[in-house]
Structure formats: C-alpha cells, structure tokens
Coordinates of all heavy atoms in Angstrom, one line a residue:
E22 N 105.9 115.3 85.2 CA 107.3 114.9 85.5 C 107.8 115.5 86.8 O 108.9 115.2 87.2 CB 108.2 115.3 84.4 CG 107.9 114.6 83.1 CD 109.0 114.9 82.1 OE1 109.1 116.1 81.7 OE2 109.8 114.1 81.7
A23 N 106.9 116.2 87.5 CA 107.2 116.9 88.7 C 107.5 115.8 89.8 O 106.8 114.8 89.9 CB 106.1 117.8 89.2
T24 N 108.6 115.9 90.5 CA 108.9 114.8 91.5 C 108.3 115.4 92.9 O 108.8 116.3 93.4 CB 110.4 114.8 91.8 OG1 111.0 114.5 90.6 CG2 110.7 113.8 92.8
L25 N 107.2 114.8 93.3 CA 106.5 115.2 94.5 C 107.2 114.5 95.7 O 106.8 114.7 96.8 CB 105.0 114.9 94.5 CG 104.2 115.6 93.4 CD1 102.7 115.3 93.5 CD2 104.5 117.1 93.5
Q26 N 108.0 113.4 95.5 CA 108.8 112.7 96.3 C 108.1 111.9 97.3 O 108.2 110.7 97.5 CB 109.7 113.8 97.2 CG 110.7 114.5 96.2 CD 111.7 115.2 97.0 OE1 111.7 115.2 98.1 NE2 112.5 115.9 96.2
E27 N 107.2 112.5 98.1 CA 106.6 111.8 99.2 C 105.1 112.1 99.3 O 104.6 113.2 99.1 CB 107.2 111.8 100.6 CG 108.5 111.3 100.6 CD 109.6 112.4 100.4 OE1 109.2 113.4 100.0 OE2 110.8 112.0 100.5
Q28 N 104.3 111.2 99.7 CA 102.9 111.4 99.9 C 102.6 111.9 101.3 O 103.5 112.0 102.2 CB 102.1 110.1 99.7 CG 102.1 109.5 98.3 CD 101.4 110.3 97.4 OE1 100.6 111.2 97.7 NE2 101.5 110.0 96.0
P29 N 101.4 112.4 101.7 CA 101.1 112.9 103.1 C 101.3 111.7 104.0 O 101.3 110.6 103.7 CB 99.6 113.2 103.0 CG 99.3 113.6 101.5 CD 100.3 112.6 100.8
I30 N 101.3 112.1 105.3 CA 101.6 111.0 106.3 C 100.7 109.9 106.3 O 99.4 110.2 106.3 CB 101.7 111.8 107.7 CG1 102.8 112.7 107.7 CG2 101.9 110.8 108.9 CD1 102.8 113.8 108.9
D31 N 100.9 108.8 106.4 CA 100.0 107.6 106.5 C 100.0 107.1 108.0 O 101.0 106.4 108.5 CB 100.6 106.5 105.6 CG 99.6 105.3 105.6 OD1 98.6 105.3 106.4 OD2 100.0 104.2 105.1
E32 N 99.1 107.7 108.7 CA 99.0 107.3 110.1 C 98.7 105.8 110.3 O 98.7 105.4 111.5 CB 97.9 108.2 110.7 CG 98.1 109.6 110.7 CD 99.3 110.0 111.5 OE1 99.8 109.2 112.4 OE2 99.6 111.2 111.4
K33 N 98.4 105.0 109.4 CA 98.1 103.6 109.5 C 99.3 102.7 109.2 O 99.3 101.6 109.4 CB 96.9 103.2 108.6 CG 95.7 103.8 108.9 CD 94.5 103.3 108.0 CE 93.2 104.0 108.3 NZ 92.2 103.6 107.4
A34 N 100.5 103.4 109.0 CA 101.7 102.7 108.7 C 102.1 101.9 109.9 O 101.9 102.4 111.0 CB 102.8 103.6 108.1
T35 N 102.7 100.7 109.8 CA 103.2 99.9 111.0 C 104.6 99.6 110.7 O 105.1 99.4 109.6 CB 102.3 98.7 111.1 OG1 102.4 97.9 109.9 CG2 100.8 99.1 111.4
T36 N 105.2 99.2 111.8 CA 106.6 98.6 111.8 C 106.8 97.6 112.8 O 105.9 97.2 113.5 CB 107.7 99.7 112.1 OG1 107.5 100.1 113.5 CG2 107.5 101.0 111.3
Q37 N 108.0 96.8 112.7 CA 108.1 95.6 113.8 C 108.2 96.3 115.2 O 107.7 95.6 116.1 CB 109.5 95.0 113.3 CG 109.4 94.2 112.1 CD 110.6 93.5 111.7 OE1 111.7 93.7 112.4 NE2 110.5 92.6 110.8
E38 N 108.8 97.6 115.4 CA 108.9 98.0 116.6 C 107.6 98.5 117.2 O 107.3 98.3 118.4 CB 109.9 99.2 116.7 CG 111.3 98.8 116.4 CD 111.7 98.6 114.8 OE1 110.8 98.9 114.1 OE2 112.7 98.2 114.6
T39 N 106.8 99.1 116.4 CA 105.4 99.6 116.9 C 104.3 99.0 116.2 O 104.5 99.0 114.9 CB 105.4 101.1 117.1 OG1 105.6 101.6 115.8 CG2 106.5 101.6 118.0
A40 N 103.2 98.8 116.7 CA 102.1 98.2 115.9 C 101.3 99.2 115.2 O 100.7 98.9 114.3 CB 101.2 97.5 116.9
S41 N 101.3 100.5 115.6 CA 100.4 101.5 114.9 C 101.2 102.8 114.5 O 100.5 103.6 113.8 CB 99.4 101.9 115.9 OG 100.0 102.5 117.1
E42 N 102.4 103.0 114.9 CA 103.1 104.3 114.5 C 104.2 104.1 113.6 O 105.1 103.3 113.7 CB 103.5 104.9 115.8 CG 102.6 105.3 116.8 CD 101.7 106.5 116.4 OE1 102.2 107.2 115.4 OE2 100.5 106.6 116.7
P43 N 104.2 104.9 112.6 CA 105.3 104.9 111.6 C 106.7 105.5 112.3 O 106.6 106.3 113.1 CB 104.9 106.0 110.6 CG 104.0 106.9 111.2 CD 103.3 106.1 112.3
T44 N 107.8 104.9 111.9 CA 109.0 105.3 112.5 C 110.0 105.8 111.5 O 111.2 106.1 111.9 CB 109.6 104.2 113.4 OG1 109.9 103.0 112.5 CG2 108.8 103.7 114.5
T45 N 109.8 105.7 110.2 CA 110.8 106.2 109.2 C 110.0 107.0 108.3 O 108.8 106.9 108.1 CB 111.5 105.0 108.5 OG1 110.6 104.4 107.6 CG2 112.2 104.1 109.5
M46 N 110.8 107.8 107.6 CA 110.1 108.8 106.5 C 109.6 107.9 105.4 O 108.6 108.2 104.6 CB 111.0 109.7 106.0 CG 111.4 110.8 106.9 SD 110.1 111.7 107.7 CE 109.4 112.5 106.2
D47 N 110.2 106.7 105.1 CA 109.7 105.8 104.1 C 108.4 105.3 104.5 O 107.5 105.0 103.5 CB 110.6 104.7 103.8 CG 111.9 105.1 103.1 OD1 111.8 106.2 102.4 OD2 112.8 104.3 103.1
E48 N 108.1 105.2 105.7 CA 106.8 104.5 106.2 C 105.8 105.7 106.3 O 104.6 105.5 106.3 CB 107.0 103.7 107.5 CG 107.9 102.5 107.3 CD 108.4 102.0 108.7 OE1 108.4 102.8 109.6 OE2 108.8 100.9 108.6
L49 N 106.3 106.9 106.5 CA 105.5 107.9 106.6 C 104.8 108.4 105.3 O 103.6 108.9 105.0 CB 106.2 109.3 107.3 CG 106.4 109.1 108.7 CD1 107.3 110.3 109.0 CD2 105.2 109.2 109.4
M50 N 105.7 108.3 104.2 CA 105.3 108.9 103.0 C 105.7 107.9 101.8 O 106.7 107.2 101.9 CB 106.0 110.1 102.7 CG 105.7 111.2 103.7 SD 106.9 112.4 103.7 CE 107.2 112.5 105.5
N51 N 104.9 107.8 100.8 CA 105.3 107.0 99.5 C 105.6 107.8 98.4 O 105.0 108.8 98.1 CB 104.1 106.0 99.2 CG 103.6 105.3 100.3 OD1 104.4 104.5 100.9 ND2 102.3 105.3 100.6
A52 N 106.9 107.5 97.8 CA 107.4 108.3 96.7 C 106.5 108.1 95.5 O 105.9 107.0 95.2 CB 108.7 107.9 96.4
T53 N 106.3 109.1 94.8 CA 105.5 109.2 93.5 C 106.3 110.0 92.5 O 106.6 111.1 92.8 CB 104.2 109.7 93.6 OG1 104.3 111.0 93.9 CG2 103.4 109.1 94.6
K54 N 106.6 109.3 91.4 CA 107.3 110.0 90.2 C 106.6 109.6 89.0 O 106.6 108.5 88.5 CB 108.7 109.5 90.2 CG 109.5 109.9 91.4 CD 111.1 109.6 91.2 CE 111.8 110.1 92.3 NZ 113.3 109.9 92.3
G55 N 105.9 110.7 88.4 CA 105.2 110.5 87.3 C 105.9 110.3 86.0 O 107.1 110.9 86.0
G56 N 105.4 109.8 85.0 CA 106.1 109.7 83.8 C 105.5 110.7 82.9 O 104.6 111.6 83.3
G57 N 105.8 110.8 81.6 CA 105.3 111.8 80.8 C 106.3 112.2 79.6 O 107.3 111.5 79.4
Y58 N 106.0 113.3 79.0 CA 106.8 113.8 77.9 C 108.2 114.2 78.6 O 108.3 114.5 79.7 CB 106.2 114.7 77.1 CG 105.9 116.1 77.9 CD1 106.8 117.1 78.0 CD2 104.7 116.2 78.5 CE1 106.6 118.2 78.6 CE2 104.4 117.5 79.4 CZ 105.3 118.5 79.4 OH 105.2 119.5 80.1
T59 N 109.1 114.3 77.7 CA 110.5 114.9 78.0 C 110.6 116.3 77.9 O 110.3 116.9 76.8 CB 111.6 114.2 77.2 OG1 111.5 112.8 77.6 CG2 112.9 114.7 77.6
E60 N 110.9 117.1 78.9 CA 111.1 118.5 78.9 C 112.5 118.8 79.0 O 113.1 118.4 80.0 CB 110.2 119.2 79.9 CG 110.4 120.6 79.8 CD 109.4 121.4 80.7 OE1 108.6 120.8 81.4 OE2 109.5 122.6 80.8
Y61 N 113.1 119.6 78.0 CA 114.5 119.8 78.2 C 114.7 121.1 79.0 O 115.2 122.1 78.5 CB 115.1 120.0 76.8 CG 114.8 118.8 75.8 CD1 114.1 119.0 74.7 CD2 115.2 117.5 76.2 CE1 113.8 117.8 73.8 CE2 115.0 116.4 75.4 CZ 114.3 116.6 74.2 OH 113.9 115.5 73.4
R62 N 114.6 120.9 80.2 CA 114.7 122.1 81.0 C 116.2 122.2 81.8 O 116.6 121.3 82.3 CB 113.7 122.0 82.3 CG 113.8 123.2 83.3 CD 112.6 123.0 84.4 NE 112.7 121.6 84.9 CZ 113.5 121.4 86.0 NH1 114.5 122.1 86.3 NH2 113.4 120.1 86.5
P63 N 116.8 123.3 81.5 CA 118.0 123.5 82.1 C 118.1 123.3 83.5 O 117.2 123.7 84.3 CB 118.4 125.0 81.8 CG 117.7 125.3 80.6 CD 116.2 124.6 80.7
G64 N 119.1 122.5 84.0 CA 119.3 122.1 85.4 C 118.7 120.7 85.6 O 118.9 120.3 86.8

C-alpha cells in the first residue's frame, strides 16, 4: 500500500514540443499505487 508516487526518469518519454526530451513530471515518472490489505494506520 506504500505510495511510491513516481517511477525513475524515463529518458525515452516524448512530447509535442520536443521529440526526445520529457518536459513535465508526469512524462518523467509514472505513478504506481499498489493495492493490498487494509492497514488502519493513524494519519
């Protein structure tokens, strides 16, 4: 259930402005949120 939020930089990501370079954090990293059991952790 840990939120790692983003993956390492993807140097192959592309955008309309540049053919080979990422320009936003969304393009740099892909969010991952795993599922699993429920832990009743305060906070």
